[in-house]
C-alpha cells in the first residue's frame, strides 16, 4: 500500500470503481486494472513512489511479423509526433512482450476527481480502440494498394 499521494490516488481509484458499480482489482505487479470501452480495453494505472507520478497505459496490440511492418511503424511514429495523433498520450513498445502500448504519466494532483479520472481513462480507451481499428485497416489498405499497383504494371 502506498502512503501519502499514493494512498490518495488509490482511494480515488476505489471511489471510481464504486461510482462505476465495479470493484477494480490490482494485478500481480500492483497495477490497477480498469476495464474500459465495454471491456474491450484494459487500462493499467499505478502511483509510482520513486517518481511521484501516476503511470497509465493500455495495450494496443501484440506485434507480429507483417509484410508492411515498416509502413506501419512509420504511421505510428507520425501519429506519435508531438502527440498529434494520440490525443496527448504516447506510444511505446514493451520489448519483452513485443506489445504496443499507449501510455502517459501525470502528477497525482491531475486526477482531482472521480470524473476527471474517468474521463482520462475513457480518452485512453478511445485512443486504443481507434488505433486498433486503424492498424487493422492499414494492413487491408496496403494489400489493396499493392494489388492495384500490380494490375497497373
Amino acid at each position: 500500500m502506498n502512503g501519502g499521494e499514493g494512498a490518495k490516488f488509490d482511494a480515488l481509484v476505489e471511489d471510481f470503481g464504486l461510482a462505476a458499480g465495479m470493484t477494480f482489482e490490482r494485478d500481480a505487479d500492483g497495477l490497477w486494472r480498469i476495464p474500459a470501452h465495454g471491456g474491450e480495453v484494459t487500462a493499467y494505472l499505478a502511483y509510482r513512489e520513486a517518481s511521484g507520478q501516476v503511470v497509465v497505459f493500455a495495450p494496443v496490440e501484440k506485434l507480429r511479423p507483417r509484410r508492411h511492418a515498416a509502413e506501419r511503424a512509420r504511421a505510428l511514429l507520425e501519429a506519435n509526433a508531438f502527440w498529434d495523433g494520440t490525443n496527448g498520450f504516447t506510444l511505446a513498445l514493451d520489448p519483452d512482450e513485443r506489445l504496443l502500448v499507449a501510455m502517459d504519466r501525470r502528477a497525482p494532483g491531475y486526477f482531482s476527481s472521480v470524473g476527471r479520472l474517468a474521463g482520462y481513462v475513457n480518452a485512453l480507451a478511445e485512443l486504443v480502440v481507434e488505433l486498433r481499428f486503424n492498424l487493422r485497416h492499414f494492413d487491408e489498405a496496403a494489400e489493396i494498394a499493392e494489388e492495384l499497383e500490380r494490375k497497373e504494371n
Side-chain angles (χ1 to χ4, degrees), residues 4 13 29 60-61 103-104 107-109 117 125 138 140 144 151-152:
V13 172
D29 295 321
V60 176
E61 74 172 13
M103 63 189 318
D104 195 15
L117 178 58
F138 182 91
E140 294 168 7
I144 291 168
K151 287 181 180 181
E152 289 177 0

Side-chain angles (χ1 to χ4, degrees), residues 14 55 58 70-71 85 88 103 117 123 127-128 139:
E14 290 171 353
V55 175
E71 293 89 350
M103 63 189 318
L117 178 58
L127 171 64
V128 169
D139 292 337

Side-chain angles (χ1 to χ4, degrees), residues 40-42 44 57-77 90-103 124-125 127-140:
E40 190 176 341
V41 174
T42 301
Y44 295 87
F57 70 93
V60 176
E61 74 172 13
K62 189 147 184 122
L63 298 180
R64 55 183 169 54
R66 297 175 188 267
R67 278 195 354 217
H68 306 287
E71 293 89 350
R72 286 173 116 244
R74 180 182 174 146
L76 288 167
L77 288 171
T90 193
L91 301 176
L93 175 66
D94 176 333
D96 296 330
E97 299 293 324
R98 296 186 47 85
L99 185 66
L100 177 67
V101 296
M103 63 189 318
L124 175 61
L127 171 64
V128 169
V129 168
E130 180 181 347
L131 285 169
R132 288 175 180 167
F133 177 86
N134 290 340
L135 288 168
R136 188 171 49 251
H137 292 286
F138 182 91
D139 292 337
E140 294 168 7

Side-chain angles (χ1 to χ4, degrees), residues 16 26 47 58 60 72 75 93 98 114 126 148-150:
F16 175 24
R26 292 179 193 255
Y47 175 78
V60 176
R72 286 173 116 244
L93 175 66
R98 296 186 47 85
V114 167
E126 295 277 329
L148 290 173
E149 191 174 309
R150 275 195 297 276

